[in-house]
Amino acid sequence: MEDCLRTIFKLAGRKLPVTTSALAEQLRVAPPTVSAMLKRLEAGQLITRSAGHEIRLTEHGERHARGVTRRHRLVETFLVQVLGLSWDEVHEEADVLEHAISERLEDRIDGLLGHPTRDPHGDPIPPRNGRHVESWAAPLGGVPAGSRFRVERVADDDSEALRYLAERGITPGAVLEVMNREPFGGPVWVKVGATRHALAPMLADVVHGEVA
């Protein structure tokens, strides 16, 4: 149930449609399982559903989703910075641990890490209290050739994609030169330091940031 809330929060933040099928794909469960969870969330006044079947968090639901997201991203940061796991290994581990830690332990982790504001993928860590905006900058795939692009965050859904990008130095904080884009759905060529890399459209679209 908490995973479902966090996933709704994530999809809404990326301005993607929040539907039963989208949630089933993200959570890797069957649509009927998602439908059953959504009925429980709706009964608990955590979500609403429109006539067009789009799902939205209520204020109560968003507060819960933000809390789960905070724990998830703090745990990911702890696993990388303290236990030395790589950024492609921590998402699934955090999926398990986010449900098991208390507020007291969450606060201890936060303090030990020096109150980080972003996790290893560049995702903002919501504060315990106060305003939080879950917005995404432009994807690399939409940046014109000739631009310099500073990576801000990378979607963490695909471990293999994260490994591939890390091996090429495409991580939050990196500055890339966008060389050119091949036509007809071809790759985007970028330069990291002195090395050129070809990124398939799928990879370019998971890398988000700002023109530097």
Side-chain angles (χ1 to χ4, degrees):
M1 297 285 286
E2 288 186 333
D3 284 343
C4 192
L5 284 173
R6 180 170 56 77
T7 303
I8 295 169
F9 185 75
K10 179 178 74 172
L11 290 173
R14 295 186 69 177
K15 302 294 189 293
L16 296 173
V18 185
T19 61
T20 301
S21 58
L23 289 170
E25 182 180 352
Q26 288 282 316
L27 295 167
R28 299 176 187 172
V29 297
T33 302
V34 173
S35 295
M37 284 192 288
L38 292 175
K39 285 180 182 177
R40 292 174 63 189
L41 292 172
E42 195 169 23
Q45 299 184 335
L46 295 163
I47 64 164
T48 60
R49 286 191 273 189
S50 70
H53 305 291
E54 184 147 0
I55 300 146
R56 297 179 185 274
L57 293 168
T58 63
E59 185 178 343
H60 179 47
E62 185 164 340
R63 188 165 59 250
H64 275 279
R66 196 166 54 239
V68 180
T69 300
R70 171 179 165 80
R71 292 196 301 273
H72 181 92
R73 293 176 181 173
L74 276 173
V75 168
E76 286 189 329
T77 309
F78 176 82
L79 292 173
V80 169
Q81 292 189 11
V82 178
L83 298 188
L85 274 68
S86 61
W87 75 334
D88 57 277
E89 297 177 296
V90 296
H91 183 68
E92 290 187 2
E93 298 292 345
D95 270 350
V96 176
L97 294 171
E98 70 192 28
H99 311 297
I101 64 174
S102 64
E103 280 193 5
R104 181 182 177 189
L105 182 54
E106 176 189 323
D107 288 342
R108 292 293 294 272
I109 291 172
D110 186 34
L112 174 68
L113 296 172
H115 309 291
T117 57
R118 291 188 177 267
D119 75 6
H121 311 105
D123 297 326
I125 299 173
R128 168 66 62 78
N129 301 298
R131 191 167 178 270
H132 172 75
V133 178
E134 185 68 16
S135 61
W136 286 73
L140 174 60
V143 174
S147 303
R148 285 172 61 82
F149 181 85
R150 183 181 301 278
V151 179
E152 183 179 294
R153 63 195 297 193
V154 179
D156 62 359
D157 305 303
D158 188 325
S159 295
E160 289 186 17
L162 288 173
R163 267 194 304 276
Y164 185 90
L165 291 168
E167 287 167 359
R168 285 149 184 80
I170 303 173
T171 57
V175 177
L176 320 177
E177 292 182 48
V178 183
M179 309 301 290
N180 63 287
R181 185 190 318 278
E182 300 289 349
F184 308 111
V188 178
W189 284 89
V190 299
K191 193 174 182 182
V192 186
T195 308
R196 286 166 51 96
H197 301 288
L199 300 180
M202 181 278 289
L203 279 175
D205 283 341
V206 304
V207 179
H208 294 254
E210 303 284 349
V211 174

